[in-house]
Amino acid sequence: LVEHWDLYRLKDVPDELFETGSVDCLRLIEWSDKFPEIRDRLDAVIRIEFDPADPDMKARLLSVFWNEGTSIGDLFTEHANDL
């Protein structure tokens, strides 16, 4: 199960965002940087930006920032046998 949340036009974080749902859920949150107070509750932040070195503005930079204590192994090991 994949959930997509777009926080761009919201003024407040919806309570439902952090409700405990299925452990098999991947929750993708756009514009989480609008609400710095939720940063510690996220496992990782993926940032996609224009590459300032590309004069045509076609290239993108992808960065992944993991919260302390979270690793990619933690996120995927539990369900590795299901693949």
Side-chain angles (χ1 to χ4, degrees):
L1 176 65
V2 176
E3 291 181 3
H4 171 249
W5 293 76
D6 186 342
L7 305 181
Y8 182 71
R9 291 183 172 86
L10 300 180
K11 293 183 181 175
D12 297 304
V13 176
D15 293 335
E16 299 85 7
L17 185 62
F18 291 106
E19 284 182 359
T20 305
S22 169
V23 293
D24 295 328
C25 178
L26 174 63
R27 199 169 277 153
L28 302 173
I29 305 169
E30 284 188 81
W31 298 98
S32 63
D33 53 332
K34 285 186 56 179
F35 302 99
E37 68 273 16
I38 70 171
R39 175 81 188 238
D40 290 341
R41 298 182 71 183
L42 304 175
D43 291 319
V45 173
I46 300 170
R47 184 169 299 226
I48 302 170
E49 303 172 286
F50 287 107
D51 183 349
D54 178 12
D56 296 325
M57 300 294 283
K58 293 181 180 177
R60 305 291 190 275
L61 298 174
L62 176 72
S63 306
V64 179
F65 303 92
W66 298 98
N67 268 342
E68 186 176 334
T70 302
S71 73
I72 194 164
D74 295 337
L75 298 176
F76 295 104
T77 301
E78 182 178 339
H79 300 290
N81 294 329
D82 297 335
L83 300 176

